[in-house]
Amino acid sequence: MKKALIVFVLCAAISTFSMAQEKGDSRIHALGTYGLRFNEFGAAGGLEFFFADKFAVMPSFTKFFPKVGNFSNFSFDLRYYVTEGPSQLYFLAGYSQTFENNQPGQPGTKRDYVGANAGVGAYIVLTEWVGLSTEFKFQSQFRQEPSFRVGLAFPL
């Protein structure tokens, strides 16, 4: 964990010379998600808002489609953009809460897990009204599942 934190700080320090997004910008994201540990697909949506130059917050909700039960996730991520232009790279860290019900309709089977997110992603401009959003994220709570997300983002 210490090594990951040191690498993140070094990358952030090196990237202070490159500008990313501007304060007040926002995007709507529609994403598909694939969990690499349990091989489950999901659909996600979120709203990204730039509260300062290079920094954005993105709350998102993901609904997974397991073979049995219900499973969803809420994430609130802080993103730091290190590049600008047609391909914009960012690092993320944030809060995550997972809601799981292995037996729908049965009392006492709902569980909630709280944890943290860490990851890296990129926004690639396709046209002025749509871009490709990709992300690799690890969640620290109970399932400890890395996931890959890809979809479209629409600047507002």
Side-chain angles (χ1 to χ4, degrees):
M1 181 65 183
K2 289 181 183 179
K3 289 180 184 179
L5 183 60
I6 290 171
V7 170
F8 178 76
V9 170
L10 287 175
C11 289
I14 291 169
S15 67
T16 57
F17 299 107
S18 64
M19 299 299 289
Q21 298 298 318
E22 294 181 4
K23 180 179 177 179
D25 290 347
S26 59
R27 299 179 183 136
I28 294 177
H29 292 257
L31 304 159
T33 301
Y34 181 72
L36 299 174
R37 183 174 178 197
F38 294 100
N39 301 321
E40 294 173 341
F41 289 97
L47 176 65
E48 181 179 24
F49 178 75
F50 291 86
F51 64 92
D53 289 348
K54 301 186 208 177
F55 289 95
V57 292
M58 181 170 162
S60 64
F61 182 79
T62 305
K63 173 71 174 152
F64 286 91
F65 304 105
K67 294 178 183 174
V68 177
N70 298 322
F71 174 49
S72 59
N73 178 272
F74 171 77
S75 295
F76 191 86
D77 297 327
L78 173 67
R79 294 177 169 192
Y80 176 70
Y81 281 81
V82 294
T83 62
E84 71 173 12
S87 179
Q88 302 164 7
L89 176 69
Y90 62 87
F91 296 103
L92 70 89
Y95 166 83
S96 181
Q97 185 164 4
T98 298
F99 309 97
E100 183 179 42
N101 187 349
N102 290 334
Q103 298 176 356
Q106 302 292 322
T109 59
K110 294 181 181 180
R111 293 182 276 183
D112 295 342
Y113 304 104
V114 176
N117 295 331
V120 63
Y123 172 78
I124 301 166
V125 176
L126 299 176
T127 67
E128 64 183 42
W129 60 271
V130 68
L132 179 66
S133 178
T134 61
E135 183 175 281
F136 179 77
K137 183 190 312 192
F138 177 77
Q139 297 180 331
S140 70
Q141 68 264 26
F142 168 67
R143 293 173 66 99
Q144 296 182 345
E145 182 168 29
S147 61
F148 183 73
R149 295 166 48 151
V150 64
L152 299 175
F154 305 93
L156 298 176

